[in-house]
Amino acid sequence: MIQVAQILFILSVLVILHEFGHYITAKMFKMRVEKFYLFMDVGFSLLKKKIGETEWGIGWLPLGGYVKISGMIDESMDEDQMKQEPQPWEFRSKPAWQRLIVMLGGIIVNILLAWFIYTMMFSTVGQKYISTDKIQKNGLAFGKIGQSVGFKNGDKIVSIDGDLQPKFNWAVIDVLLSDEVIIDRNGTEVKLNLTDEQKGEILGSEGKNFIQPRISKIAIDSVTPKSEAAKAKLLKGDVIQSVNGKQFSYFDVFAEDLKNLKNDSINIVVERNSKLVNLRAKVNAEGKLGFVPKIQDKFDFQITNKLSFSEAVSAAVKESYQLLVYNVKQFKLILKPATGAYKQVKSPIGIARQLPDSWDWEFIWNFTALFSIGLAFMNLLPIPGLDGGHALFTIVEMITGKKLSDKAAGYVQTGGMIFLLSLMALTFGKDIYQLILDKLVN
């Protein structure tokens, strides 16, 4: 329920402010705003109240929201109004440059919101990020797919397309968007060029978690019931010191050695409550003991920059711009079918499942800023039904002097809405199916 509450709060903030961008710019140019709705009121609304000429309300369907501006073909598809003579207060009666500003008003507010949130966060709790340099000080660890495409445990990333992103979370994305990755492997530089198919393998199985910090302390986080580790009486919190007298610096080396000891009995020395304990265990047929290692928290590699307000303003602008750039890069990845990145597009249901189970204001505001930039980018796309689609036709009108007829605009808007609703249905269907499947499996 906390995850649901978080996504509803985030969506409400973003939708209200996005639509307010359209509303305030429309009022600036003396256009009449008939409706301002949070969420869609298909058939009926949960709450509504008319104040002046505008009906303010909350719909029952949490799929965005809208403002209905007189004389504009939008989500309401009110074509009857368009058959009447244009009135001075209508959208269609205003100059093209004013209509363009109204169309871009929501996008501008989304970008300003992200800028404002980052400014406040950076100037209070500080600018926080996971350091690429710190996290790969002892090298990196890779999952099965990561190793199959050319990475090896212990590799350090030197550059990605000639540069190295200091923020680890973004560096991982850079790898998935890259043409060339140069790594340091035991002092030798190795060049990797991932194909779209290899990127698809990573995205489809391990995702952004295919790169992890290398585990140097082999501590046991949990023991699988009835496993060989359980039979040997290994306990949560134990730290493995040696196997058959051999010490290990990293968990991945320890795991590889176990694969060569399948079905063998081994002597293990563990540290338990500051004492050394000798245990006898058997390695199973898969080359495992049956425990989950404690992975070092990524926040152990976090850097916090304390910024003054003026420094925060500048850093927030840079952060917002970089996020917009990464949205463009990820969209290019989605457009490449071989990567299968389009399968990773998530609906609010899928996004909610990735949110934490506890209410964390710092996380929520950071996520809201990130999501706000994503919403701004999505609405910039020149797709009919989105702000970018309306803006494109207005820009063409400003250049050519020719305006799209109301009839043609209606057809274009209808086509765009069908496309967007179909896309929503697919993403919601996929996430609902995955939710049900996970519940059945677990």
Side-chain angles (χ1 to χ4, degrees):
M1 286 302 294
I2 291 179
Q3 290 175 320
V4 173
Q6 286 179 102
I7 195 64
L8 285 176
F9 173 80
I10 292 168
L11 286 175
S12 298
V13 169
L14 293 178
V15 170
I16 288 172
L17 292 177
H18 177 89
E19 298 306 330
F20 180 76
H22 295 308
Y23 172 84
I24 194 65
T25 48
K27 299 299 286 184
M28 279 170 51
F29 299 123
K30 303 188 185 312
M31 299 179 194
R32 178 175 294 174
V33 181
E34 299 175 15
K35 287 186 174 184
F36 188 120
Y37 262 77
L38 168 64
F39 304 147
M40 308 305 288
D41 60 328
V42 183
F44 66 95
S45 57
L46 298 177
L47 293 170
K48 63 179 179 181
K49 182 177 178 62
K50 191 162 186 177
I51 303 174
E53 62 189 17
T54 306
E55 178 181 301
W56 301 77
I58 300 176
W60 63 272
L61 187 61
L63 293 177
Y66 70 97
V67 291
K68 185 180 185 305
I69 303 172
S70 297
M72 175 183 176
I73 296 179
D74 54 13
E75 295 92 336
S76 65
M77 299 304 293
D78 187 359
E79 296 183 11
D80 291 336
Q81 186 183 72
M82 304 302 290
K83 295 176 183 178
Q84 301 172 12
E85 285 296 315
Q87 300 298 319
W89 60 78
E90 290 187 336
F91 178 85
R92 56 179 166 166
S93 301
K94 302 298 180 179
W97 68 270
Q98 292 185 6
R99 286 184 273 122
L100 180 62
I101 291 174
V102 172
M103 284 297 94
L104 297 178
I107 296 170
I108 293 169
V109 168
N110 280 135
I111 294 173
L112 291 176
L113 173 63
W115 180 23
F116 174 76
I117 290 174
Y118 282 132
T119 297
M120 299 309 295
M121 296 298 290
F122 292 170
S123 61
T124 53
V125 298
Q127 184 185 36
K128 300 179 180 180
Y129 64 92
I130 308 302
S131 168
T132 303
D133 286 338
K134 289 181 70 174
I135 208 167
Q136 65 172 356
K137 182 178 180 181
N138 295 319
L140 298 166
F142 300 87
K144 184 177 180 181
I145 302 299
Q147 293 184 57
S148 72
V149 302
F151 292 99
K152 290 186 177 181
N153 291 326
D155 285 350
K156 296 180 181 180
I157 299 173
V158 176
S159 67
I160 305 166
D161 291 338
D163 198 9
L164 182 61
Q165 171 58 247
K167 299 176 181 178
F168 179 71
N169 291 343
W170 290 6
V172 174
I173 296 175
D174 279 344
V175 171
L176 294 172
L177 299 170
S178 69
D179 293 318
E180 179 181 273
V181 180
I182 295 177
I183 56 178
D184 178 347
R185 183 172 294 163
N186 298 321
T188 302
E189 287 196 352
V190 178
K191 187 186 300 182
L192 291 179
N193 302 97
L194 301 183
T195 65
D196 288 344
E197 288 76 15
Q198 289 174 327
K199 293 173 185 177
E201 284 185 70
I202 293 170
L203 286 169
S205 58
E206 298 167 349
K208 296 177 184 177
N209 291 321
F210 90 102
I211 301 179
Q212 294 287 339
R214 203 175 190 193
I215 303 173
S216 57
K217 184 179 180 181
I218 311 172
I220 297 176
D221 190 54
S222 64
V223 177
T224 305
K226 299 181 181 180
S227 65
E228 298 299 335
K231 293 175 184 176
K233 294 184 170 35
L234 281 165
L235 303 176
K236 178 179 179 178
D238 285 351
V239 179
I240 296 177
Q241 299 295 312
S242 66
V243 173
N244 291 342
K246 182 178 179 180
Q247 295 182 331
F248 298 92
S249 299
Y250 302 104
F251 175 78
D252 54 270
V253 179
F254 163 80
E256 283 298 316
D257 264 38
L258 286 190
K259 291 179 182 178
N260 298 321
L261 297 169
K262 294 177 181 178
N263 299 314
D264 285 354
S265 292
I266 57 175
N267 293 311
I268 304 177
V269 176
V270 301
E271 182 183 333
R272 179 183 298 168
N273 299 324
S274 301
K275 295 180 180 180
L276 295 181
V277 179
N278 292 285
L279 299 172
R280 187 77 175 167
K282 183 178 180 180
V283 183
N284 67 19
E286 296 179 352
K288 298 179 179 179
L289 290 174
F291 71 86
V292 177
K294 182 175 178 58
I295 298 173
Q296 191 169 359
D297 196 320
K298 288 182 182 179
F299 290 101
D300 291 339
F301 307 102
Q302 180 174 277
I303 286 179
T304 301
N305 292 327
K306 299 291 185 180
L307 304 178
S308 66
F309 184 78
S310 60
E311 290 172 332
V313 169
S314 176
V317 171
K318 185 177 180 181
E319 188 85 5
S320 301
Y321 173 74
Q322 286 186 325
L323 275 175
L324 196 57
V325 169
Y326 272 87
N327 271 277
V328 174
K329 288 181 177 181
Q330 291 180 86
F331 186 69
K332 289 180 180 178
L333 194 66
I334 290 172
L335 293 178
K336 295 181 178 181
T339 66
Y342 61 91
K343 298 177 184 177
Q344 309 304 316
V345 176
K346 298 185 184 298
S347 70
I349 292 175
I351 294 171
R353 296 186 67 198
Q354 294 183 316
L355 297 176
D357 294 325
S358 59
W359 197 276
D360 182 342
W361 278 113
E362 186 177 338
F363 175 88
I364 288 171
W365 287 122
N366 276 309
F367 191 84
T368 301
L370 184 148
F371 207 167
S372 191
I373 293 293
L375 185 61
F377 170 74
M378 184 185 73
N379 273 284
L380 270 174
L381 297 176
I383 299 174
L386 296 177
D387 296 342
H390 289 291
L392 176 64
F393 289 121
T394 305
I395 291 170
V396 171
E397 177 191 341
M398 293 171 71
I399 295 173
T400 64
K402 295 180 180 180
K403 186 178 180 180
L404 196 66
S405 69
D406 291 340
K407 186 175 182 180
Y411 287 139
V412 169
Q413 180 73 9
T414 300
M417 292 301 295
I418 291 173
F419 171 76
L420 291 173
L421 289 172
S422 299
L423 188 61
M424 281 186 186
L426 286 172
T427 53
F428 268 90
K430 173 180 68 68
D431 289 340
I432 291 171
Y433 170 77
Q434 189 62 52
L435 176 63
I436 293 172
L437 187 65
D438 291 346
K439 292 293 184 183
L440 291 174
V441 172
N442 297 326

